[in-house]
Amino acid sequence: MQIALRCRSQSQIRPFMHILGISGSLRTGASNTAVLEAAALLAPPGVTITLYDGLGALPHFNPDLDSQDGGQLPEIVDLREQIGRADGVLISCPEYAHGIPGSFKNLLDWLVGSTEFPGKPVALLNTSPMSVHAPAQLAEVLATMNARLIPEASITVQPRNRGSNAIDIAADPESSATLRNAIAAFARAAHE
Ligand SMILES: Cc1cc2nc3c(=O)[nH]c(=O)nc-3n(C[C@H](O)[C@H](O)[C@H](O)COP(=O)(O)O)c2cc1C
């Protein structure tokens, strides 16, 4: 009996996994940021989710400034190091004018020439079922960048109210179940 119990508990131990969450919205109180913060609150044992907070400070992408280390631009070195340390990336991005917000596309452009990003497991979240163009464009861009897209973890979580914060979303039974399932699917797929 003791052996059986020990085997079962060992099989439940998953390797540690670190996920980087990147919100495509710079807006104060952004729903996309709140959903990622809720995901961080709901992450199971052995999984940590931290949020990248440098989007607004990134310089405009310029190939002249690009090199493996971002030409030593500290913001680019930091972005690439954070990507490099992550086992996977959760992106939650709004749609602007049927497209990817410019500031978020700028971040992706800085990762095109990086060694850290290709092959990285990526899931796409969003907070609006109306947005169909930006997710499709993101999938195309990310595939071109050789990300490993995880469709089963790519979900829409629509907060109940416009002002919902991470705690509200994590406390909502439907949203939290959707997020928990997505994180579990992401962790499983990323370890394959
Ligand atoms: C400038 C602008 C353009 C937008 N264009 C679209 C659009 O084309 N399609 C859409 O579904 N939503 C559009 N929206 C709505 C946002 O995508 C939506 O409100 C999103 O949830 C905001 O995310 P946030 O709360 O994280 O900032 C637009 C919002 C803004 C501010």
Side-chain angles (χ1 to χ4, degrees):
M1 184 60 178
Q2 271 184 343
I3 291 168
L5 279 176
R6 195 181 313 146
C7 288
R8 195 184 312 149
S9 66
Q10 280 178 351
S11 72
Q12 286 168 349
I13 296 172
R14 292 205 203 119
F16 176 80
M17 177 177 217
H18 172 58
I19 298 171
L20 185 66
I22 309 181
S23 171
S25 178
L26 290 168
R27 194 172 69 79
T28 304
S31 58
N32 286 280
T33 309
V35 159
L36 289 170
E37 289 169 346
L41 293 174
L42 296 166
V47 177
T48 60
I49 301 176
T50 58
L51 266 64
Y52 173 73
D53 67 357
L55 179 68
L58 292 178
H60 291 168
F61 177 71
N62 178 345
D64 292 344
L65 302 176
D66 196 15
S67 67
Q68 214 49 261
D69 55 6
Q72 300 295 342
L73 291 173
E75 300 89 345
I76 308 308
V77 172
D78 176 59
L79 169 66
R80 291 176 174 174
E81 283 180 356
Q82 290 202 43
I83 295 283
R85 282 195 296 271
D87 300 300
V89 180
L90 279 184
I91 290 170
S92 192
C93 189
E95 172 169 309
Y96 288 170
H98 286 188
I100 303 169
S103 53
F104 190 72
K105 181 61 167 62
N106 184 54
L107 176 147
L108 294 179
D109 287 343
W110 277 113
L111 294 176
V112 169
S114 74
T115 55
E116 293 84 356
F117 192 73
K120 197 66 73 177
V122 176
L124 288 176
L125 313 186
N126 74 74
T127 59
S128 168
M130 305 273 288
S131 102
V132 291
H133 303 280
Q137 290 170 22
L138 278 167
E140 171 65 21
V141 170
L142 290 164
T144 305
M145 294 168 65
N146 292 318
R148 186 153 75 85
L149 281 169
I150 314 290
E152 60 270 36
S154 297
I155 49 154
T156 297
V157 177
Q158 189 174 23
R160 257 180 218 291
N161 303 304
R162 185 168 159 75
S164 293
N165 62 22
I167 292 168
D168 300 327
I169 296 167
D172 181 76
E174 195 180 322
S175 299
S176 61
T178 305
L179 274 171
R180 278 199 175 96
N181 288 339
I183 298 165
F186 188 76
R188 268 195 308 275
H191 276 310
E192 280 171 5

